[in-house]
Amino acid sequence: MRELNKHLLVLMLQKVGGMDGDNQSENSQFLLLSMSESPEQQQILFWMFLSMYLVTVVGNALIILAISSDSRLHTPMYFFLANLSFTDLFFVTNTIPKMLVNFQSQNKAIAYAGCLTQLYFLVSLVTLDNLILAVMAYDCYVAICHPLHYVTAMSPGLCVLLLCLCWGLSVPYGLLLTLLLTRVTFCGTQEIHYLFCEMYVLLRLACSNTHIIHTVLIATGCFIFITPLGFMTTSYVRIVRTILQVPSASKKYKTFSTCASHVGVVSLFYGTLAMVYLQPLHTYSMKDSVATVMYAVVTPMMNPFSYSLRNKDMHWALGRLLGRPFQRPK
């Protein structure tokens, strides 16, 4: 299904791109030249990103399998965590395999339609990550601040509806920005000293005026990212207030440790996004590639550890999945 959607997207991008006579032809391409042209450094980068990719894939796959195989984890919190892992799994698969091939190959070209397809999935999946984190913050808020109403407030039907809403916003948003980029003119073969096709990188290579698409990017980005961030901040502030009213020190510590992992993931995710996108287009440079790698590679790799290291239920489920069960938490 994913390959069919990707094929349909490529055909649509080629068709839309062909509507503008000054735009790219189907044969035009970009060259992904990575962050370094040194063979020694490229080998180091290859093994580094391969290791990170394998850790990300194995970690998120184990989270999904553990949650799906243990009926005790069939709750709203783990339902959204499994979907977050699923999103992260395909998030890194969209970019890292092509990067690894480029590190080892002399041909570093990527077709115009292929570059826009990569961009589409990048935008859609990072948006979906963002929205799922917001929903998880709401779930945490209800569980801690309104525990007696949790079962009814987070019913299975509402959880599915919230997840569908996340997908319903992410897919059109990625499509909107990608289709807007098809109206931008690129002059001949372009060299991208970067790891993958990213919005700001492509806008910097454009020959035509990019003011409109950059304005749309900032305006829609503020809505699609800043609004959930404000929602999450409000939720966590209320959670902290509720925790401070708990008389038991042990319960305070347990709840704080659970929320700390959520806050850590959110801080890393939004901090790196802000470093990349909350700046004028003309100031964007190679140094921002480090921040992009953080949200596009490091965050998906860290999520399984952040959400499972202090979680006894996840420890037990993962242990049983691997054939080394721990004592079941009470």
Side-chain angles (χ1 to χ4, degrees), residues 34-53:
S34 182
M35 300 168 64
S36 171
E37 297 182 6
S38 168
E40 293 78 12
Q41 292 183 1
Q42 289 206 18
Q43 284 300 311
I44 294 174
L45 290 172
F46 171 81
W47 289 110
M48 181 182 73
F49 281 106
L50 177 60
S51 301
M52 295 170 72
Y53 179 64

Side-chain angles (χ1 to χ4, degrees), residues 264-286:
V265 170
V266 171
S267 300
L268 178 62
F269 181 78
Y270 275 96
T272 51
L273 278 180
M275 289 173 62
V276 176
Y277 295 108
L278 293 185
Q279 61 174 306
L281 181 59
H282 68 272
T283 65
Y284 189 81
S285 63
M286 275 297 298

Side-chain angles (χ1 to χ4, degrees), residues 5-302:
N5 290 337
K6 181 177 179 179
H7 180 65
L8 292 175
L9 177 63
V10 171
L11 292 177
M12 182 167 57
L13 290 174
Q14 290 176 345
K15 182 177 180 181
V16 173
M19 292 171 61
D20 188 347
D22 296 329
N23 211 337
Q24 297 293 98
S25 68
E26 295 182 8
N27 296 323
S28 58
Q29 60 185 13
F30 297 96
L31 296 178
L32 292 173
L33 300 180
S34 182
M35 300 168 64
S36 171
E37 297 182 6
S38 168
E40 293 78 12
Q41 292 183 1
Q42 289 206 18
Q43 284 300 311
I44 294 174
L45 290 172
F46 171 81
W47 289 110
M48 181 182 73
F49 281 106
L50 177 60
S51 301
M52 295 170 72
Y53 179 64
L54 292 177
V55 170
T56 304
V57 170
V58 172
N60 283 287
L62 286 176
I63 292 292
I64 295 172
L65 291 173
I67 292 174
S68 60
S69 64
D70 190 347
S71 59
R72 182 168 178 165
L73 301 184
H74 293 175
T75 63
M77 181 182 81
Y78 295 108
F79 170 74
F80 293 120
L81 177 57
N83 279 277
L84 181 68
S85 293
F86 178 82
T87 304
D88 288 340
L89 192 60
F90 284 100
F91 189 18
V92 294
T93 302
N94 177 52
T95 54
I96 295 184
K98 177 60 177 175
M99 290 162 46
L100 297 176
V101 171
N102 284 353
F103 287 138
Q104 298 289 68
S105 173
Q106 295 297 322
N107 182 12
K108 303 181 184 300
I110 180 171
Y112 172 71
C115 188
L116 292 190
T117 301
Q118 189 181 75
L119 175 68
Y120 164 75
F121 283 110
L122 179 67
V123 174
S124 297
L125 293 173
V126 75
T127 304
L128 183 58
D129 241 13
N130 160 64
L131 296 175
I132 290 179
L133 286 174
V135 173
M136 292 178 71
Y138 175 71
D139 173 74
C140 190
Y141 161 74
V142 176
I144 295 175
C145 299
H146 303 284
L148 298 179
H149 302 284
Y150 181 76
V151 175
T152 55
M154 296 300 295
S155 64
L158 178 61
C159 292
V160 173
L161 180 62
L162 289 173
L163 183 63
C164 290
L165 180 62
C166 293
W167 278 94
L169 291 174
S170 303
V171 172
Y173 181 63
L175 189 60
L176 169 66
L177 294 185
T178 306
L179 291 178
L180 284 175
L181 199 60
T182 63
R183 315 308 300 172
V184 174
T185 302
F186 299 97
C187 304
T189 301
Q190 296 290 338
E191 296 183 352
I192 301 177
H193 292 270
Y194 207 66
L195 297 172
F196 47 81
C197 294
E198 195 269 335
M199 179 64 75
Y200 266 26
V201 172
L202 295 178
L203 290 179
R204 286 293 299 270
L205 295 175
C207 298
S208 58
N209 192 326
T210 61
H211 176 73
I212 294 178
I213 186 174
H214 187 240
T215 302
V216 172
L217 176 64
I218 295 298
T220 56
C222 287
F223 171 75
I224 207 85
F225 288 98
I226 302 302
T227 301
L229 177 60
F231 179 80
M232 283 185 274
T233 302
T234 302
S235 297
Y236 287 126
V237 168
R238 293 183 177 181
I239 288 172
V240 170
R241 288 179 178 175
T242 302
I243 293 175
L244 292 176
Q245 297 174 2
V246 176
S248 172
S250 61
K251 289 184 177 180
K252 279 184 180 181
Y253 173 78
K254 181 180 179 180
T255 310
F256 265 124
S257 64
T258 301
C259 291
S261 62
H262 295 206
V263 174
V265 170
V266 171
S267 300
L268 178 62
F269 181 78
Y270 275 96
T272 51
L273 278 180
M275 289 173 62
V276 176
Y277 295 108
L278 293 185
Q279 61 174 306
L281 181 59
H282 68 272
T283 65
Y284 189 81
S285 63
M286 275 297 298
K287 65 180 178 62
D288 298 298
S289 63
V290 177
T292 306
V293 168
M294 290 294 290
Y295 84 75
V297 180
V298 177
T299 301
M301 181 182 68
M302 294 302 298

